[in-house]
Amino acid sequence: LSSLLLGGPLEIERNGRIAGMADGAAIDAGCDHSLPDFAALVACCDAVVTADTLAMHLAIAAKKPVVVLMGPTCEAEIELYGRGTKITSDAPCAPCYRATCDKGHVCMEDISAAQVFASLEEHLK
């Protein structure tokens, strides 16, 4: 099982770190794709794990299973059309709708890898 790391310019460093730690299990697909190329990459995925981002909307449009990490965004405002799971945070400050956080994005850190993996596994059965 391989993971494809996608993102935009702000994810270059993080994706490189993840790929380096993944020992070949994660492929850094780069972060400078045109919109059509990015949409095509998302459409090639078996499932997508993302926050409330362009990748989430593209995955829903491509009818791909999606696991969405809900931190700063309110889960009630996002419709997955039966194509995924929303994982929410119990952080008292969530949702806050802020792009930056003086608390270190505890709402996202609160979501465990085990939660994400379990949700992803359900969608890939």
Side-chain angles (χ1 to χ4, degrees):
L1 181 66
S2 292
S3 297
L4 189 61
L5 302 171
L6 302 171
L10 297 177
E11 286 82 36
I12 293 171
E13 185 179 319
R14 181 179 59 202
N15 286 1
R17 269 195 329 271
I18 293 169
M21 293 186 299
D23 197 28
I27 301 162
D28 187 350
C31 296
D32 61 347
H33 303 287
S34 67
L35 181 56
D37 288 347
F38 186 73
L41 284 168
V42 169
C44 288
C45 294
D46 292 327
V48 176
V49 176
T50 183
D52 176 12
T53 63
L54 175 63
M56 177 196 74
H57 295 284
L58 291 171
I60 293 167
K63 299 181 180 177
K64 297 295 177 174
V66 62
V67 175
V68 183
L69 314 180
M70 305 297 298
T73 305
C74 179
E75 71 165 311
E77 295 179 0
I78 302 296
E79 178 57 53
L80 302 180
Y81 303 96
R83 295 188 181 103
T85 302
K86 298 176 216 172
I87 301 178
T88 59
S89 169
D90 291 330
C93 53
C96 68
Y97 298 98
R98 294 183 179 168
T100 60
C101 177
D102 58 355
K103 297 177 183 162
H105 289 290
V106 293
C107 60
M108 296 303 272
E109 297 293 329
D110 188 45
I111 298 170
S112 73
Q115 287 174 287
V116 174
F117 188 75
S119 291
L120 189 57
E121 213 171 30
E122 282 298 312
H123 292 288
L124 293 176
K125 282 184 178 179

